[in-house]
mmCIF file of all heavy atoms in Angstrom:
data_model
loop_
_atom_site.group_PDB
_atom_site.id
_atom_site.type_symbol
_atom_site.label_atom_id
_atom_site.label_comp_id
_atom_site.label_asym_id
_atom_site.label_seq_id
_atom_site.Cartn_x
_atom_site.Cartn_y
_atom_site.Cartn_z
ATOM 1 N N GLN A 9 90.444 3.574 45.801
ATOM 2 C CA GLN A 9 91.727 3.390 45.112
ATOM 3 C C GLN A 9 92.150 1.938 45.120
ATOM 4 O O GLN A 9 92.558 1.369 44.098
ATOM 5 C CB GLN A 9 92.799 4.273 45.735
ATOM 6 C CG GLN A 9 92.640 5.762 45.456
ATOM 7 C CD GLN A 9 93.561 6.634 46.288
ATOM 8 O OE1 GLN A 9 94.035 6.222 47.359
ATOM 9 N NE2 GLN A 9 93.807 7.852 45.837
ATOM 10 N N GLU A 10 92.028 1.270 46.292
ATOM 11 C CA GLU A 10 92.405 -0.115 46.404
ATOM 12 C C GLU A 10 91.486 -1.036 45.622
ATOM 13 O O GLU A 10 91.868 -2.143 45.248
ATOM 14 C CB GLU A 10 92.410 -0.510 47.887
ATOM 15 C CG GLU A 10 93.531 0.145 48.678
ATOM 16 C CD GLU A 10 93.483 -0.187 50.158
ATOM 17 O OE1 GLU A 10 92.491 -0.826 50.601
ATOM 18 O OE2 GLU A 10 94.444 0.181 50.885
ATOM 19 N N SER A 11 90.264 -0.548 45.317
ATOM 20 C CA SER A 11 89.300 -1.317 44.552
ATOM 21 C C SER A 11 89.439 -1.106 43.078
ATOM 22 O O SER A 11 88.674 -1.666 42.270
ATOM 23 C CB SER A 11 87.860 -0.992 45.007
ATOM 24 O OG SER A 11 87.689 -1.252 46.373
ATOM 25 N N GLY A 12 90.384 -0.237 42.669
ATOM 26 C CA GLY A 12 90.591 0.011 41.244
ATOM 27 C C GLY A 12 89.568 0.950 40.612
ATOM 28 O O GLY A 12 89.453 0.983 39.406
ATOM 29 N N ILE A 13 88.881 1.730 41.437
ATOM 30 C CA ILE A 13 87.875 2.665 40.896
ATOM 31 C C ILE A 13 88.558 3.982 40.540
ATOM 32 O O ILE A 13 89.307 4.528 41.347
ATOM 33 C CB ILE A 13 86.747 2.858 41.931
ATOM 34 C CG1 ILE A 13 85.941 1.569 42.083
ATOM 35 C CG2 ILE A 13 85.822 4.021 41.522
ATOM 36 C CD1 ILE A 13 84.986 1.560 43.236
ATOM 37 N N PRO A 14 88.327 4.498 39.338
ATOM 38 C CA PRO A 14 89.030 5.705 38.913
ATOM 39 C C PRO A 14 88.623 6.950 39.710
ATOM 40 O O PRO A 14 87.464 7.219 39.919
ATOM 41 C CB PRO A 14 88.601 5.866 37.454
ATOM 42 C CG PRO A 14 87.301 5.136 37.321
ATOM 43 C CD PRO A 14 87.408 3.976 38.297
ATOM 44 N N ILE A 15 89.644 7.680 40.147
ATOM 45 C CA ILE A 15 89.468 8.923 40.896
ATOM 46 C C ILE A 15 90.240 10.031 40.210
ATOM 47 O O ILE A 15 91.386 9.822 39.814
ATOM 48 C CB ILE A 15 89.951 8.765 42.364
ATOM 49 C CG1 ILE A 15 89.242 7.625 43.062
ATOM 50 C CG2 ILE A 15 89.750 10.074 43.154
ATOM 51 C CD1 ILE A 15 89.824 7.233 44.384
ATOM 52 N N SER A 16 89.653 11.166 40.033
ATOM 53 C CA SER A 16 90.338 12.311 39.418
ATOM 54 C C SER A 16 90.088 13.548 40.249
ATOM 55 O O SER A 16 89.054 13.681 40.938
ATOM 56 C CB SER A 16 89.823 12.516 37.983
ATOM 57 O OG SER A 16 88.420 12.732 37.957
ATOM 58 N N ASP A 17 91.042 14.470 40.218
ATOM 59 C CA ASP A 17 90.955 15.691 41.052
ATOM 60 C C ASP A 17 90.847 16.958 40.272
ATOM 61 O O ASP A 17 90.974 18.041 40.821
ATOM 62 C CB ASP A 17 92.122 15.728 42.047
ATOM 63 C CG ASP A 17 93.472 15.756 41.321
ATOM 64 O OD1 ASP A 17 93.501 15.880 40.066
ATOM 65 O OD2 ASP A 17 94.497 15.685 42.032
ATOM 66 N N ASN A 18 90.587 16.838 38.941
ATOM 67 C CA ASN A 18 90.483 18.030 38.116
ATOM 68 C C ASN A 18 89.072 18.099 37.538
ATOM 69 O O ASN A 18 88.823 17.787 36.372
ATOM 70 C CB ASN A 18 91.545 17.960 37.002
ATOM 71 C CG ASN A 18 91.496 19.160 36.110
ATOM 72 O OD1 ASN A 18 91.471 20.301 36.565
ATOM 73 N ND2 ASN A 18 91.522 18.978 34.783
ATOM 74 N N ASN A 19 88.112 18.483 38.397
ATOM 75 C CA ASN A 19 86.712 18.469 37.983
ATOM 76 C C ASN A 19 85.949 19.691 38.516
ATOM 77 O O ASN A 19 86.321 20.276 39.549
ATOM 78 C CB ASN A 19 86.012 17.214 38.519
ATOM 79 C CG ASN A 19 86.705 15.948 38.069
ATOM 80 O OD1 ASN A 19 86.619 15.548 36.901
ATOM 81 N ND2 ASN A 19 87.447 15.313 38.967
ATOM 82 N N LYS A 20 84.888 20.000 37.834
ATOM 83 C CA LYS A 20 83.971 21.044 38.263
ATOM 84 C C LYS A 20 82.541 20.487 38.171
ATOM 85 O O LYS A 20 82.133 19.931 37.160
ATOM 86 C CB LYS A 20 84.095 22.285 37.371
ATOM 87 C CG LYS A 20 83.206 23.448 37.809
ATOM 88 C CD LYS A 20 83.595 24.732 37.067
ATOM 89 C CE LYS A 20 83.361 24.664 35.571
ATOM 90 N NZ LYS A 20 83.593 25.959 34.883
ATOM 91 N N VAL A 21 81.817 20.610 39.268
ATOM 92 C CA VAL A 21 80.460 20.060 39.385
ATOM 93 C C VAL A 21 79.439 21.132 39.659
ATOM 94 O O VAL A 21 79.703 22.042 40.466
ATOM 95 C CB VAL A 21 80.395 18.980 40.493
ATOM 96 C CG1 VAL A 21 78.961 18.493 40.704
ATOM 97 C CG2 VAL A 21 81.291 17.805 40.177
ATOM 98 N N LYS A 22 78.311 21.028 39.014
ATOM 99 C CA LYS A 22 77.166 21.903 39.333
ATOM 100 C C LYS A 22 75.975 21.019 39.590
ATOM 101 O O LYS A 22 75.654 20.121 38.810
ATOM 102 C CB LYS A 22 76.879 22.855 38.179
ATOM 103 C CG LYS A 22 75.664 23.752 38.419
ATOM 104 C CD LYS A 22 75.578 24.891 37.448
ATOM 105 C CE LYS A 22 75.293 24.393 36.006
ATOM 106 N NZ LYS A 22 75.067 25.474 35.043
ATOM 107 N N LEU A 23 75.306 21.231 40.729
ATOM 108 C CA LEU A 23 74.120 20.488 41.056
ATOM 109 C C LEU A 23 72.917 21.047 40.282
ATOM 110 O O LEU A 23 72.715 22.257 40.202
ATOM 111 C CB LEU A 23 73.812 20.557 42.559
ATOM 112 C CG LEU A 23 74.820 19.892 43.502
ATOM 113 C CD1 LEU A 23 74.439 20.166 44.941
ATOM 114 C CD2 LEU A 23 74.915 18.391 43.267
ATOM 115 N N LEU A 24 72.121 20.168 39.702
ATOM 116 C CA LEU A 24 70.889 20.515 39.001
ATOM 117 C C LEU A 24 69.758 19.936 39.818
ATOM 118 O O LEU A 24 69.505 18.725 39.811
ATOM 119 C CB LEU A 24 70.907 19.984 37.589
ATOM 120 C CG LEU A 24 72.140 20.421 36.745
ATOM 121 C CD1 LEU A 24 72.152 19.686 35.400
ATOM 122 C CD2 LEU A 24 72.148 21.929 36.540
ATOM 123 N N LYS A 25 69.073 20.802 40.603
ATOM 124 C CA LYS A 25 68.204 20.332 41.679
ATOM 125 C C LYS A 25 66.747 20.178 41.295
ATOM 126 O O LYS A 25 65.886 19.936 42.157
ATOM 127 C CB LYS A 25 68.319 21.303 42.863
ATOM 128 C CG LYS A 25 69.742 21.464 43.366
ATOM 129 C CD LYS A 25 69.825 22.535 44.446
ATOM 130 C CE LYS A 25 71.278 22.849 44.810
ATOM 131 N NZ LYS A 25 71.397 23.948 45.774
ATOM 132 N N SER A 26 66.450 20.271 40.008
ATOM 133 C CA SER A 26 65.070 20.099 39.543
ATOM 134 C C SER A 26 65.119 19.714 38.078
ATOM 135 O O SER A 26 66.111 19.901 37.382
ATOM 136 C CB SER A 26 64.236 21.367 39.723
ATOM 137 O OG SER A 26 64.693 22.388 38.823
ATOM 138 N N GLY A 27 63.973 19.179 37.589
ATOM 139 C CA GLY A 27 63.899 18.858 36.188
ATOM 140 C C GLY A 27 64.071 20.075 35.310
ATOM 141 O O GLY A 27 64.723 20.014 34.253
ATOM 142 N N ARG A 28 63.478 21.184 35.737
ATOM 143 C CA ARG A 28 63.630 22.410 34.926
ATOM 144 C C ARG A 28 65.085 22.821 34.788
ATOM 145 O O ARG A 28 65.555 23.130 33.709
ATOM 146 C CB ARG A 28 62.822 23.542 35.568
ATOM 147 C CG ARG A 28 62.737 24.815 34.741
ATOM 148 C CD ARG A 28 61.776 25.822 35.336
ATOM 149 N NE ARG A 28 60.435 25.289 35.426
ATOM 150 C CZ ARG A 28 59.567 25.274 34.404
ATOM 151 N NH1 ARG A 28 59.908 25.755 33.216
ATOM 152 N NH2 ARG A 28 58.359 24.746 34.605
ATOM 153 N N GLU A 29 65.833 22.785 35.915
ATOM 154 C CA GLU A 29 67.246 23.127 35.875
ATOM 155 C C GLU A 29 68.034 22.158 34.969
ATOM 156 O O GLU A 29 68.889 22.594 34.196
ATOM 157 C CB GLU A 29 67.847 23.110 37.285
ATOM 158 C CG GLU A 29 67.457 24.279 38.157
ATOM 159 C CD GLU A 29 68.209 24.265 39.486
ATOM 160 O OE1 GLU A 29 69.378 23.825 39.510
ATOM 161 O OE2 GLU A 29 67.630 24.723 40.494
ATOM 162 N N LYS A 30 67.714 20.884 35.083
ATOM 163 C CA LYS A 30 68.440 19.878 34.322
ATOM 164 C C LYS A 30 68.227 20.079 32.798
ATOM 165 O O LYS A 30 69.196 20.120 32.016
ATOM 166 C CB LYS A 30 67.998 18.467 34.696
ATOM 167 C CG LYS A 30 68.763 17.352 33.936
ATOM 168 C CD LYS A 30 67.809 16.598 33.008
ATOM 169 C CE LYS A 30 68.598 15.576 32.163
ATOM 170 N NZ LYS A 30 68.083 14.250 32.159
ATOM 171 N N PHE A 31 66.998 20.238 32.380
ATOM 172 C CA PHE A 31 66.725 20.324 30.954
ATOM 173 C C PHE A 31 67.161 21.650 30.357
ATOM 174 O O PHE A 31 67.637 21.684 29.215
ATOM 175 C CB PHE A 31 65.243 20.068 30.672
ATOM 176 C CG PHE A 31 64.847 18.633 30.906
ATOM 177 C CD1 PHE A 31 63.957 18.271 31.866
ATOM 178 C CD2 PHE A 31 65.430 17.636 30.130
ATOM 179 C CE1 PHE A 31 63.628 16.952 32.094
ATOM 180 C CE2 PHE A 31 65.098 16.288 30.348
ATOM 181 C CZ PHE A 31 64.185 15.942 31.331
ATOM 182 N N ILE A 32 67.062 22.751 31.095
ATOM 183 C CA ILE A 32 67.580 24.018 30.603
ATOM 184 C C ILE A 32 69.089 23.896 30.364
ATOM 185 O O ILE A 32 69.633 24.297 29.330
ATOM 186 C CB ILE A 32 67.263 25.169 31.598
ATOM 187 C CG1 ILE A 32 65.770 25.496 31.564
ATOM 188 C CG2 ILE A 32 68.092 26.403 31.258
ATOM 189 C CD1 ILE A 32 65.330 26.513 32.613
ATOM 190 N N ASP A 33 69.785 23.328 31.327
ATOM 191 C CA ASP A 33 71.244 23.213 31.234
ATOM 192 C C ASP A 33 71.645 22.262 30.118
ATOM 193 O O ASP A 33 72.533 22.528 29.316
ATOM 194 C CB ASP A 33 71.789 22.710 32.581
ATOM 195 C CG ASP A 33 73.289 22.970 32.749
ATOM 196 O OD1 ASP A 33 74.067 22.298 32.096
ATOM 197 O OD2 ASP A 33 73.644 23.847 33.545
ATOM 198 N N LEU A 34 70.966 21.087 30.053
ATOM 199 C CA LEU A 34 71.291 20.083 29.028
ATOM 200 C C LEU A 34 71.007 20.625 27.635
ATOM 201 O O LEU A 34 71.850 20.477 26.695
ATOM 202 C CB LEU A 34 70.454 18.824 29.253
ATOM 203 C CG LEU A 34 70.592 17.742 28.192
ATOM 204 C CD1 LEU A 34 72.029 17.177 28.141
ATOM 205 C CD2 LEU A 34 69.584 16.603 28.461
ATOM 206 N N PHE A 35 69.881 21.269 27.423
ATOM 207 C CA PHE A 35 69.540 21.799 26.105
ATOM 208 C C PHE A 35 70.538 22.899 25.656
ATOM 209 O O PHE A 35 70.913 22.950 24.507
ATOM 210 C CB PHE A 35 68.109 22.371 26.099
ATOM 211 C CG PHE A 35 67.061 21.314 25.874
ATOM 212 C CD1 PHE A 35 67.035 20.108 26.570
ATOM 213 C CD2 PHE A 35 66.038 21.533 24.953
ATOM 214 C CE1 PHE A 35 66.067 19.166 26.346
ATOM 215 C CE2 PHE A 35 65.035 20.571 24.743
ATOM 216 C CZ PHE A 35 65.050 19.396 25.453
ATOM 217 N N GLU A 36 70.989 23.699 26.627
ATOM 218 C CA GLU A 36 71.954 24.748 26.297
ATOM 219 C C GLU A 36 73.271 24.109 25.856
ATOM 220 O O GLU A 36 73.903 24.557 24.869
ATOM 221 C CB GLU A 36 72.181 25.640 27.496
ATOM 222 C CG GLU A 36 73.134 26.836 27.223
ATOM 223 C CD GLU A 36 72.667 27.723 26.077
ATOM 224 O OE1 GLU A 36 71.447 27.898 25.892
ATOM 225 O OE2 GLU A 36 73.589 28.231 25.343
ATOM 226 N N ALA A 37 73.711 23.065 26.566
ATOM 227 C CA ALA A 37 74.951 22.369 26.172
ATOM 228 C C ALA A 37 74.827 21.734 24.800
ATOM 229 O O ALA A 37 75.778 21.737 23.990
ATOM 230 C CB ALA A 37 75.309 21.334 27.231
ATOM 231 N N ILE A 38 73.669 21.171 24.518
ATOM 232 C CA ILE A 38 73.446 20.562 23.196
ATOM 233 C C ILE A 38 73.479 21.594 22.108
ATOM 234 O O ILE A 38 74.049 21.365 21.012
ATOM 235 C CB ILE A 38 72.088 19.757 23.211
ATOM 236 C CG1 ILE A 38 72.216 18.507 24.071
ATOM 237 C CG2 ILE A 38 71.681 19.393 21.799
ATOM 238 C CD1 ILE A 38 70.915 17.790 24.292
ATOM 239 N N ARG A 39 72.921 22.749 22.347
ATOM 240 C CA ARG A 39 72.924 23.817 21.320
ATOM 241 C C ARG A 39 74.344 24.231 20.982
ATOM 242 O O ARG A 39 74.639 24.636 19.861
ATOM 243 C CB ARG A 39 72.116 25.047 21.828
ATOM 244 C CG ARG A 39 70.626 24.826 21.906
ATOM 245 C CD ARG A 39 69.881 26.109 22.217
ATOM 246 N NE ARG A 39 68.476 25.873 22.441
ATOM 247 C CZ ARG A 39 67.940 25.734 23.655
ATOM 248 N NH1 ARG A 39 68.716 25.874 24.751
ATOM 249 N NH2 ARG A 39 66.641 25.487 23.795
ATOM 250 N N GLU A 40 75.253 24.144 21.970
ATOM 251 C CA GLU A 40 76.640 24.540 21.769
ATOM 252 C C GLU A 40 77.509 23.429 21.188
ATOM 253 O O GLU A 40 78.685 23.652 20.880
ATOM 254 C CB GLU A 40 77.229 25.001 23.089
ATOM 255 C CG GLU A 40 76.555 26.234 23.715
ATOM 256 C CD GLU A 40 76.717 27.437 22.870
ATOM 257 O OE1 GLU A 40 77.820 27.656 22.303
ATOM 258 O OE2 GLU A 40 75.749 28.209 22.743
ATOM 259 N N ALA A 41 76.959 22.228 20.999
ATOM 260 C CA ALA A 41 77.729 21.071 20.517
ATOM 261 C C ALA A 41 78.324 21.342 19.140
ATOM 262 O O ALA A 41 77.661 21.869 18.244
ATOM 263 C CB ALA A 41 76.855 19.822 20.487
ATOM 264 N N LYS A 42 79.578 20.880 18.969
ATOM 265 C CA LYS A 42 80.260 21.073 17.683
ATOM 266 C C LYS A 42 80.611 19.719 17.011
ATOM 267 O O LYS A 42 80.709 19.647 15.797
ATOM 268 C CB LYS A 42 81.543 21.869 17.907
ATOM 269 C CG LYS A 42 81.316 23.262 18.439
ATOM 270 C CD LYS A 42 80.594 24.158 17.466
ATOM 271 C CE LYS A 42 80.574 25.617 17.890
ATOM 272 N NZ LYS A 42 79.782 25.810 19.146
ATOM 273 N N HIS A 43 80.811 18.681 17.821
ATOM 274 C CA HIS A 43 81.301 17.412 17.246
ATOM 275 C C HIS A 43 80.346 16.222 17.501
ATOM 276 O O HIS A 43 79.960 15.539 16.575
ATOM 277 C CB HIS A 43 82.676 17.082 17.783
ATOM 278 C CG HIS A 43 83.273 15.815 17.226
ATOM 279 N ND1 HIS A 43 83.225 14.614 17.889
ATOM 280 C CD2 HIS A 43 83.895 15.596 16.028
ATOM 281 C CE1 HIS A 43 83.813 13.683 17.140
ATOM 282 N NE2 HIS A 43 84.245 14.254 15.999
ATOM 283 N N HIS A 44 79.966 16.009 18.737
ATOM 284 C CA HIS A 44 79.115 14.839 19.034
ATOM 285 C C HIS A 44 78.236 15.071 20.255
ATOM 286 O O HIS A 44 78.557 15.860 21.148
ATOM 287 C CB HIS A 44 79.946 13.574 19.228
ATOM 288 C CG HIS A 44 80.839 13.588 20.424
ATOM 289 N ND1 HIS A 44 82.143 14.030 20.369
ATOM 290 C CD2 HIS A 44 80.619 13.217 21.718
ATOM 291 C CE1 HIS A 44 82.675 13.939 21.579
ATOM 292 N NE2 HIS A 44 81.761 13.452 22.405
ATOM 293 N N ILE A 45 77.118 14.333 20.292
ATOM 294 C CA ILE A 45 76.165 14.312 21.403
ATOM 295 C C ILE A 45 75.893 12.852 21.684
ATOM 296 O O ILE A 45 75.423 12.122 20.819
ATOM 297 C CB ILE A 45 74.888 15.084 21.088
ATOM 298 C CG1 ILE A 45 75.180 16.557 20.767
ATOM 299 C CG2 ILE A 45 73.888 14.947 22.224
ATOM 300 C CD1 ILE A 45 74.044 17.253 20.056
ATOM 301 N N HIS A 46 76.153 12.421 22.905
ATOM 302 C CA HIS A 46 75.909 11.050 23.307
ATOM 303 C C HIS A 46 74.885 11.014 24.456
ATOM 304 O O HIS A 46 75.086 11.674 25.485
ATOM 305 C CB HIS A 46 77.204 10.369 23.737
ATOM 306 C CG HIS A 46 78.155 10.139 22.633
ATOM 307 N ND1 HIS A 46 79.505 9.916 22.828
ATOM 308 C CD2 HIS A 46 77.967 10.090 21.280
ATOM 309 C CE1 HIS A 46 80.102 9.764 21.651
ATOM 310 N NE2 HIS A 46 79.165 9.859 20.689
ATOM 311 N N LEU A 47 73.834 10.197 24.281
ATOM 312 C CA LEU A 47 72.753 10.121 25.288
ATOM 313 C C LEU A 47 72.479 8.677 25.597
ATOM 314 O O LEU A 47 72.228 7.865 24.713
ATOM 315 C CB LEU A 47 71.487 10.779 24.764
ATOM 316 C CG LEU A 47 71.593 12.239 24.322
ATOM 317 C CD1 LEU A 47 70.291 12.697 23.653
ATOM 318 C CD2 LEU A 47 71.946 13.147 25.496
ATOM 319 N N GLU A 48 72.507 8.306 26.867
ATOM 320 C CA GLU A 48 72.198 6.962 27.329
ATOM 321 C C GLU A 48 71.200 7.078 28.495
ATOM 322 O O GLU A 48 71.559 7.582 29.580
ATOM 323 C CB GLU A 48 73.463 6.230 27.781
ATOM 324 C CG GLU A 48 73.255 4.819 28.313
ATOM 325 C CD GLU A 48 74.524 4.120 28.771
ATOM 326 O OE1 GLU A 48 75.630 4.649 28.439
ATOM 327 O OE2 GLU A 48 74.455 3.110 29.469
ATOM 328 N N TYR A 49 69.962 6.636 28.256
ATOM 329 C CA TYR A 49 68.916 6.760 29.267
ATOM 330 C C TYR A 49 68.119 5.479 29.390
ATOM 331 O O TYR A 49 68.015 4.723 28.448
ATOM 332 C CB TYR A 49 67.968 7.915 28.876
ATOM 333 C CG TYR A 49 68.512 9.292 29.199
ATOM 334 C CD1 TYR A 49 69.197 10.009 28.223
ATOM 335 C CD2 TYR A 49 68.288 9.875 30.424
ATOM 336 C CE1 TYR A 49 69.679 11.272 28.509
ATOM 337 C CE2 TYR A 49 68.767 11.136 30.714
ATOM 338 C CZ TYR A 49 69.460 11.830 29.761
ATOM 339 O OH TYR A 49 69.942 13.106 30.017
ATOM 340 N N PHE A 50 67.571 5.261 30.589
ATOM 341 C CA PHE A 50 66.672 4.154 30.813
ATOM 342 C C PHE A 50 65.468 4.253 29.897
ATOM 343 O O PHE A 50 65.029 3.295 29.341
ATOM 344 C CB PHE A 50 66.261 4.095 32.293
ATOM 345 C CG PHE A 50 65.480 2.879 32.696
ATOM 346 C CD1 PHE A 50 65.937 1.614 32.485
ATOM 347 C CD2 PHE A 50 64.242 3.033 33.307
ATOM 348 C CE1 PHE A 50 65.225 0.484 32.861
ATOM 349 C CE2 PHE A 50 63.499 1.919 33.688
ATOM 350 C CZ PHE A 50 63.988 0.646 33.480
ATOM 351 N N ASN A 51 64.932 5.469 29.749
ATOM 352 C CA ASN A 51 63.864 5.678 28.796
ATOM 353 C C ASN A 51 63.754 7.116 28.321
ATOM 354 O O ASN A 51 64.148 8.054 29.017
ATOM 355 C CB ASN A 51 62.506 5.182 29.315
ATOM 356 C CG ASN A 51 62.017 5.901 30.536
ATOM 357 O OD1 ASN A 51 61.843 7.142 30.526
ATOM 358 N ND2 ASN A 51 61.772 5.180 31.647
ATOM 359 N N PHE A 52 63.248 7.269 27.100
ATOM 360 C CA PHE A 52 62.795 8.539 26.546
ATOM 361 C C PHE A 52 61.282 8.466 26.462
ATOM 362 O O PHE A 52 60.748 7.709 25.612
ATOM 363 C CB PHE A 52 63.351 8.778 25.139
ATOM 364 C CG PHE A 52 64.864 8.944 25.070
ATOM 365 C CD1 PHE A 52 65.669 7.815 24.976
ATOM 366 C CD2 PHE A 52 65.453 10.200 25.076
ATOM 367 C CE1 PHE A 52 67.057 7.931 24.866
ATOM 368 C CE2 PHE A 52 66.831 10.318 24.966
ATOM 369 C CZ PHE A 52 67.631 9.206 24.868
#
């Protein structure tokens, strides 16, 4: 807080503990997209 880093207390987190879990979850969210999809990666 003193460093000016944003903190919020209204969040829900799910751990994705493997590549399979990550891509299944990400692809499902993309399929449900209605307005925009934003992707920023070191590499594809």
Side-chain angles (χ1 to χ4, degrees):
Q9 288 170 338
E10 292 176 352
S11 301
I13 292 169
I15 303 169
S16 57
D17 59 8
N18 182 47
N19 304 286
K20 183 168 65 175
V21 174
K22 178 168 67 174
L23 295 174
L24 304 173
K25 303 174 188 176
S26 69
R28 187 173 299 279
E29 286 187 33
K30 182 246 174 130
F31 289 117
I32 289 174
D33 199 287
L34 175 64
F35 276 48
E36 183 58 34
I38 290 173
R39 290 189 188 97
E40 298 297 319
K42 300 293 190 294
H43 182 261
H44 65 268
I45 300 163
H46 292 160
L47 305 172
E48 179 181 347
Y49 282 92
F50 187 55
N51 62 59
F52 295 86

